[in-house]
Amino acid sequence: MTFDPVTAAQRFHHAINDLDFAVIDDFFADDAVYGSIKVGQLSGKAEIMAAFRRYFDTYPDQVAVDELTEAVSPMAARAVWRLKATHAETGEPLVRFGEETITFNADGKIISVDVTDYKV
């Protein structure tokens, strides 16, 4: 069966929307990297997952929608997304728009996520 990076990226985003940390964790290779203006450069599954947990402790009501998900190579997908969330302590709304490129290894594990915000 041929790997479909679009389907894998969509499953990854569904796990994020469901706050299913076990599934999110399983998506990442141990040596994955994650880059975003919001979190900086993260290296390794443990550091990435700690950042995810901190983020969702701060913004537990996030609702994200993919506007487009497309293959950019046989092992990578690009997703254009928008999200809304509320800061758990201050009540301040967060609205973000952006895109990310998710690259997978031969085992279907995420090896890199590169996030670009359109509006910060």
Side-chain angles (χ1 to χ4, degrees):
M1 180 160 65
T2 303
F3 179 76
D4 181 2
V6 171
T7 299
Q10 290 170 335
R11 286 187 10 252
F12 174 59
H13 285 169
H14 285 291
I16 293 171
N17 282 335
D18 291 343
L19 297 181
D20 190 335
F21 291 107
V23 173
I24 296 167
D25 182 88
D26 191 50
F27 263 102
F28 285 102
D30 289 338
D31 59 349
V33 294
Y34 189 104
S36 166
I37 195 166
K38 286 288 189 186
V39 299
Q41 285 295 107
L42 305 173
S43 295
K45 182 194 295 197
E47 187 175 14
I48 293 167
M49 289 307 299
F52 265 81
R53 289 182 186 283
R54 283 191 306 273
Y55 176 85
F56 285 108
D57 283 346
T58 304
Y59 296 101
D61 69 342
Q62 174 181 294
V63 176
V65 176
D66 288 340
E67 301 288 338
L68 168 74
T69 308
E70 63 184 356
V72 293
S73 80
M75 299 306 288
R78 175 180 164 264
V80 177
W81 47 262
R82 60 183 163 84
L83 66 83
K84 293 181 180 180
T86 309
H87 194 284
E89 292 180 14
T90 68
E92 185 174 331
L94 172 68
V95 177
R96 291 176 61 198
F97 304 89
E99 68 179 68
E100 64 189 30
T101 301
I102 305 167
T103 305
F104 300 87
N105 66 17
D107 296 324
K109 299 288 186 182
I110 294 171
I111 56 172
S112 72
V113 180
D114 183 29
V115 179
T116 302
D117 278 78
Y118 297 154
K119 177 182 177 182
V120 178

